Amino acid sequence: MPARADQTPKHRGAGCRQRLLFFAAGRAFRMSALLEIRNVGIRFGGIVALSGVSFEVCAGEICGLIGPNGSGKTTLFNCISGIYRPSKGDIVFNGQNLCTIARHRLAALGIGRTFQNLALFRTMSVSENILVGAHHFGRTGFIANALCLPRVRREEDDAQRRLVELLELLELAAVAAEPVANLPFAMQKRVELARAVIGGPKLLLMDEPAGGLNHSEVDVLAELIRTLRDRFQMSILLVEHHMNLVMRISDRVVALEFGMKIAEGSPQAVQNHPEVIRAYLGGRAHAAVA
Amino acid sequence: MITKPGLLAQTARIPERNAIVWRGAIVFKLIGLAAAIAATFVFSGYHLFQLTMVIIYAIAILGLNIVTGYSGQISLGHGAFYAIGAYVSAILMTQYNLPYWATLPAAALVCAIVGFAIGLPALRLGGLYLALTTFALAITLPQILKYRAFEDWTGGVQGIVLAKPDAPFGLPLSADQWLYLFSLAVGVVAFVLARNLLAGRIGRAMRAVRDHPIAAEAMGVHLALLKTKTFAVSALFTGVAGALGAIAVQYVAPDSFSVFLSIVLFVGLVVGGVASVAGAVFGAAFVVYMPNVAEKISKAAPDAIYGIILIAILFFAPSGVAGALARIAERVRGKDRFKDGIPLQGGTR
Ligand SMILES: Nc1ncnc2c1ncn2[C@@H]1O[C@H](COP(=O)(O)OP(=O)(O)OP(=O)(O)O)[C@@H](O)[C@H]1O
Ligand SMILES: [Mg+2]
């Protein structure tokens, strides 16, 4: 992997524009839309959490999703991963309508996610947590496992190979056997990321991966997200309040407010969009980006 | 890339240490097994029978542990599966002249099917439904067993008396000794199968469901199916224990399987250690020996003594005997796991 941390912002901007052109062309032919959010709406009692949200995420793209607190970002994630069923609209992934698919089948279809407030298996070790992410690859059942048949061992070896790769990549090898609850917050977030990535998702939903990280850690995370995208060839839908991070690594950004899409486009375009500036209380977004 | 130098050295050290711990555990188990076999010739009569019952309760508690300890679903009526296993074994031996050993797989199968049938609706509802459904089953079952229409099979209130199996192949063992060794063999097989199941993909999914069902489902675990199958397997283990129990006691009757049996199994589970395979053995020992100990301490109020000891154990070892032992072992092995600040790398705290 070439190190990108030393690139100047100017270079990075140029790279993004190129990629954007590429994806713009793809969208024109409707070739590479991996995820289509079509007019999605959902309400909780009187609260309209999402209303008529539409956008697409293309194959290989990092799509940023921003918006003030309570604008519906996590709700949209929960709709995509089947935890909520939207009352209006469709979510189409790879040509399949997700709204009719059982939650536990989404991982095998290629949708992985992390959670805003960690959702780790607290009593289990780091390795075990990550291995659960590979559960859907397995075909062996209770009897085969109890008897420890050769195919169980083959399956376990495959999972272990993927595990070792991710432990190295995410610098978790030293704590692989630790109970996950003993780790500091930032490391727990990496465990969650590894758990999502080991499942080989085509689309990774990341809900505030930079939450609780300090400045240098955010820089490492930015590199990491891009590395993961390139290495595992997935699309990423990234919810994040850390504007610097979003604007730096997103190919495209979608902005929500009160459950509605208020802007969409290149990072520059979105961060200069008047609606976005207004939503972030007149220029707070600017301040964050600068 | 982002790997810092020095990290790999630490990585390499850990599996090595794990291997040593693992080999230590194997040696420990072999010594335990040798001691268990030696006990055949050290103890006799009632003492050997008690040891047999420890093994049998250990299998039953192991079954309960699979569903309650590992997958987090509370069953308050596992005694019902013990009873079903016992009756299946007794009926097959007396009515169909099946050899005693052949009744174990039958009891296993019947209990797994009953467990699946009960678990399917109860687990879909989630929460405490399983606890209440199983509790209701445990309350109902003794009366069903007494029911007139089934009397030809179940023997009604009288129950069924069984013959004690002799040692096969002309082995120079008394019937008690053979029964003990047979139970030990079944117990070892049961524990190895359970350990395999719990250590692998399925066991991880069970614990994931217990710790965070929403995340487990997002990782591709079919919650309802996994929980139901887990419950069926749990019923299977406890049912085999019941069948062994019938053979060991040579008698089954409805009143041997009151709700109290379910509570006793639950006590054994908690005292031994929830989510610990070895804990089942400690729990079983408590269940078998503690009433005698309490009686020795006070003839007047053994139940009160039992209760006080139970509370004391839970107070001083909230994670059960197995949990307490694990903590002691950790302390003996040294606190250096967190030295070198390894887990703090890249951390914010
Ligand atoms: N299960 C629910 N029941 C009731 N209201 C809900 C539920 N889930 C979300 N909401 C509401 O929907 C709105 C959107 O919430 P959501 O969590 O999606 O916001 P968000 O954009 O993720 O905010 P944040 O940046 O703070 O994480 C909020 O008003 C929230 O209170
Ligand atoms: Mg949120």
Side-chain angles (χ1 to χ4, degrees):
Chain A
M1 276 303 304
R4 301 198 202 182
D6 55 347
Q7 282 181 342
T8 64
K10 217 166 110 202
H11 281 128
R12 254 196 311 272
C16 280
R17 258 198 299 284
Q18 264 168 14
R19 198 172 285 140
L20 198 75
L21 281 175
F22 170 76
F23 282 118
R27 263 206 309 286
F29 296 107
R30 290 204 161 267
M31 292 278 284
S32 55
L34 182 66
L35 177 76
E36 294 174 58
I37 312 286
R38 293 184 189 157
N39 198 25
V40 166
I42 185 170
R43 55 196 308 162
F44 302 102
I47 300 169
V48 180
L50 289 173
S51 128
V53 174
S54 300
F55 67 93
E56 291 175 2
V57 179
C58 302
E61 180 181 41
I62 297 180
C63 178
L65 183 60
I66 62 169
N69 289 113
S71 54
K73 305 181 295 294
T74 300
T75 303
L76 183 63
F77 269 25
N78 285 341
C79 289
I80 298 170
S81 50
I83 294 170
Y84 299 153
R85 297 293 182 193
S87 42
K88 267 206 317 219
D90 290 316
I91 299 175
V92 180
F93 176 77
N94 232 351
Q96 265 179 302
N97 193 339
L98 294 185
C99 298
T100 59
I101 291 176
R103 275 194 289 276
H104 67 271
R105 289 192 46 223
L106 295 176
L109 282 185
I111 297 179
R113 76 169 286 184
T114 68
F115 295 80
Q116 182 172 354
N117 306 308
L118 293 171
L120 288 167
F121 308 121
R122 294 195 59 79
T123 62
M124 298 164 66
S125 73
V126 169
S127 296
E128 287 176 322
N129 263 277
I130 299 172
L131 285 171
V132 175
H135 180 85
H136 71 85
F137 289 124
R139 291 288 165 271
T140 58
F142 276 67
I143 295 171
N145 270 269
L147 297 174
C148 212
L149 297 181
R151 58 199 166 94
V152 173
R153 243 169 281 160
R154 263 199 306 278
E155 209 174 79
E156 191 72 17
D157 287 346
D158 283 346
Q160 288 285 343
R161 258 192 299 280
R162 293 168 151 269
L163 171 69
V164 168
E165 184 185 358
L166 281 166
L167 285 173
E168 298 274 302
L169 192 61
L170 296 178
E171 295 192 355
L172 291 166
V175 292
E178 286 300 327
V180 74
N182 288 358
L183 301 189
F185 186 73
M187 242 181 200
Q188 295 192 350
K189 291 219 119 173
R190 291 216 297 277
V191 175
E192 244 205 2
L193 184 55
R195 186 181 68 176
V197 171
I198 199 173
K202 295 189 185 81
L203 173 70
L204 177 61
L205 310 173
M206 299 180 84
D207 203 344
E208 301 199 14
L213 301 193
N214 65 31
H215 260 293
S216 61
E217 286 168 343
V218 170
D219 288 343
V220 174
L221 179 69
E223 274 317 298
L224 186 61
I225 292 176
R226 271 202 274 204
T227 305
L228 289 173
R229 189 266 309 266
D230 295 344
R231 181 133 158 199
F232 297 99
Q233 297 179 354
M234 50 192 181
S235 307
I236 295 176
L237 184 55
L238 172 72
V239 164
E240 192 42 77
H241 283 296
H242 203 291
M243 284 304 151
N244 190 353
L245 176 68
V246 181
M247 297 305 170
R248 219 161 81 194
I249 65 171
S250 299
D251 300 305
R252 211 155 45 81
V253 176
V254 173
L256 295 182
E257 191 193 17
F258 297 126
M260 282 182 283
K261 186 172 84 176
I262 54 170
E264 175 177 3
S266 72
Q268 283 93 339
V270 169
Q271 80 192 57
N272 293 319
H273 196 287
E275 283 288 301
V276 175
I277 294 170
R278 186 194 47 73
Y280 278 91
L281 296 178
R284 216 188 84 198
H286 261 321
V289 174
Chain B
M1 207 165 32
I2 51 169
T3 307
K4 295 174 203 121
L7 194 71
L8 288 174
Q10 289 161 0
T11 315
R13 212 185 58 209
I14 298 236
E16 201 177 289
R17 193 196 298 176
N18 277 354
I20 290 168
V21 171
W22 190 68
R23 242 173 280 148
I26 290 256
V27 170
F28 219 66
K29 279 175 196 154
L30 286 179
I31 291 173
L33 187 59
I37 293 172
T40 321
F41 309 101
V42 177
F43 298 96
S44 63
Y46 185 63
H47 293 295
L48 198 57
F49 171 75
Q50 277 188 317
L51 278 181
T52 309
M53 289 313 290
V54 169
I55 296 168
I56 291 169
Y57 275 119
I59 300 171
I61 293 169
L62 178 65
L64 180 58
N65 209 343
I66 290 173
V67 73
T68 300
Y70 285 86
S71 87
Q73 315 296 314
I74 291 176
S75 167
L76 290 178
H78 249 52
F81 297 110
Y82 189 95
I84 293 171
Y87 266 88
V88 167
S89 178
I91 291 169
L92 288 178
M93 281 166 76
T94 52
Q95 309 272 326
Y96 297 90
N97 286 322
L98 236 61
Y100 65 96
W101 49 266
T103 65
L104 296 189
L109 191 65
V110 170
C111 287
I113 291 171
V114 174
F116 195 89
I118 289 172
L120 200 57
L123 288 161
R124 261 181 202 285
L125 293 171
L128 289 172
Y129 276 89
L130 185 70
L132 292 183
T133 312
T134 48
F135 188 65
L137 177 70
I139 288 183
T140 322
L141 195 66
Q143 304 218 308
I144 295 177
L145 292 172
K146 286 177 195 168
Y147 191 56
R148 279 272 161 90
F150 305 137
E151 225 172 55
D152 285 347
W153 278 23
T154 61
V157 185
Q158 308 297 324
I160 307 169
V161 177
L162 302 168
K164 202 184 230 176
D166 282 318
F169 321 121
L171 289 173
L173 296 167
S174 72
D176 286 336
Q177 286 174 325
W178 169 244
L179 201 59
Y180 171 76
L181 284 176
F182 179 70
S183 305
L184 184 63
V186 174
V188 168
V189 170
F191 272 76
V192 168
L193 292 180
R195 200 210 69 92
N196 288 347
L197 180 66
L198 295 169
R201 167 175 178 264
I202 303 285
R204 280 193 301 265
M206 285 180 194
R207 283 173 287 153
V209 167
R210 175 194 63 193
D211 285 358
H212 205 304
I214 294 173
E217 203 173 27
M219 300 304 130
V221 179
H222 189 331
L223 294 185
L225 195 60
L226 185 90
K227 285 193 223 169
T228 309
K229 284 183 176 173
T230 302
F231 188 64
V233 166
S234 153
L236 180 153
F237 276 88
T238 305
V240 168
L244 264 181
I247 297 164
V249 179
Q250 300 145 52
Y251 176 58
V252 294
D255 292 331
S256 326
F257 307 118
S258 68
V259 181
F260 200 67
L261 174 62
S262 300
I263 304 299
V264 162
L265 293 180
F266 202 86
V267 167
L269 167 73
V270 177
V271 167
V274 172
S276 154
V277 171
V281 180
F282 300 123
F286 179 89
V287 162
V288 170
Y289 291 112
M290 196 44 76
N292 292 10
V293 173
E295 189 113 323
K296 280 223 179 76
I297 294 173
S298 160
K299 280 222 155 36
D303 290 350
I305 299 291
Y306 186 99
I308 289 166
I309 293 176
L310 184 57
I311 289 170
I313 288 183
L314 295 185
F315 187 78
F316 290 111
S319 46
V321 176
L325 288 181
R327 227 170 328 147
I328 292 168
E330 192 95 323
R331 215 166 285 174
V332 169
R333 219 180 292 152
K335 294 174 196 155
D336 62 332
R337 305 184 82 182
F338 276 86
K339 234 164 61 181
D340 329 330
I342 299 173
L344 296 176
Q345 251 176 30
T348 50
R349 278 178 206 166

